[in-house]
């Protein structure tokens, strides 16, 4: 019953925003094109599409409208992870300077001028730290983007499975179907 209400709402939202009532079919909303082979009326096609929508949802385990929400959330998470990855290298120059200064002070103490050794070590540490920070940032950004792409591919595969199930059902009801 809930699915029928959802389908009715979706069909109601499919009307053109202009003053005339040109209705977009459920299949067209899903980017599936169905043509009646046996002269089915628009009302019959609507009933058949609703039945096939339910069939495809049950058999594929995918509700395409819930999947669209999930995909939007995945994109938002990917963008957020990418943004956080850009912060991965922050502070690396300072950390490198501190470590380099400590190491330089040790070397300088042995050589007789700890202050000069610390200054040289800090300079080298800043450069090395920044380089290390950039690498960490690039790696984290790349990893976030790869995870986002994998999620998108999985979502697309689920949608393809739904469309296949929907198409098989519509073809069994004498429609020519393409997606």
């Amino acid at each position: 019953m809930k699915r029928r209400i959802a389908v009715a709402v979706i069909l109601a939202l499919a009307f053109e925003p202009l003053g005339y009532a040109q209705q977009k079919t459920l299949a067209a909303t899903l980017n599936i094109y169905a043509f009646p082979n046996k002269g089915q009326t628009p009302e019959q096609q609507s009933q058949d599409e609703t039945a096939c929508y339910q069939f495809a949802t049950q058999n594929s385990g995918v509700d395409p409208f819930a999947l669209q929400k999930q995909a939007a959330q995945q994109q938002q998470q990917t963008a957020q992870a990418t943004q956080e990855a850009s912060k991965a290298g922050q502070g690396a120059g300072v950390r490198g300077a501190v470590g380099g200064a400590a190491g330089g002070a040790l070397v300088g103490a042995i050589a007789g001028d700890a202050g000069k050794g610390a200054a040289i070590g800090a300079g080298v540490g800043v450069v090395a730290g920044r380089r290390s920070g950039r690498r960490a940032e690039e790696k984290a950004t790349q990893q976030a983007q790869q995870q986002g792409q994998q999620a998108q591919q999985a979502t697309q595969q689920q949608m393809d499975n739904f469309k296949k199930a929907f198409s098989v059902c519509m073809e069994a009801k004498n429609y020519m179907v393409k997606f």
Side-chain angles (χ1 to χ4, degrees):
M1 183 68 178
K2 289 181 182 179
R3 294 209 191 278
R4 287 186 182 173
I5 292 171
V7 170
V9 169
I10 292 165
L11 290 174
L13 293 174
F15 284 101
E16 292 289 330
L18 302 174
Y20 57 92
Q22 181 179 350
Q23 189 174 0
K24 193 172 185 181
T25 66
L26 176 60
T29 303
L30 298 168
N31 293 324
I32 301 172
Y33 303 95
F35 181 79
N37 280 333
K38 300 284 184 180
Q40 296 93 325
T41 65
E43 293 79 18
Q44 182 63 48
Q45 183 171 351
S46 179
Q47 290 173 3
D48 290 341
E49 287 180 1
T50 300
C52 288
Y53 176 88
Q54 291 171 350
F55 169 84
T57 301
Q58 290 172 354
N59 285 285
S60 69
V62 175
D63 181 350
F65 297 106
L67 197 60
Q68 287 175 346
K69 289 179 185 177
Q70 180 183 335
Q73 289 172 343
Q74 289 171 344
Q75 288 174 343
Q76 186 179 15
Q77 289 172 350
T78 299
Q80 196 172 28
T82 301
Q83 186 178 17
E84 289 175 14
S86 69
K87 297 177 183 177
Q90 286 183 345
V94 173
R95 287 190 300 274
V98 170
L106 271 172
V107 172
I110 293 170
D113 190 354
K116 189 175 182 179
I120 292 170
V124 170
V126 165
V127 171
R130 285 184 182 159
R131 187 178 307 137
S132 173
R134 277 193 297 272
R135 276 193 230 123
E137 180 182 331
E138 288 171 2
K139 184 177 180 181
T141 300
Q142 199 173 46
Q143 186 177 18
Q145 289 174 345
Q146 284 176 345
Q147 288 173 346
Q149 287 174 346
Q150 288 171 349
Q152 284 178 339
Q153 288 172 349
T155 299
Q156 185 60 47
Q157 185 175 14
Q158 288 177 320
M159 189 63 182
D160 288 347
N161 288 339
F162 173 88
K163 287 181 176 182
K164 287 176 187 175
F166 183 88
S167 296
V168 164
C169 178
M170 289 295 287
E171 287 172 0
K173 293 181 180 287
N174 292 312
Y175 291 86
M176 183 184 332
V177 183
K178 299 289 180 190
F179 67 92

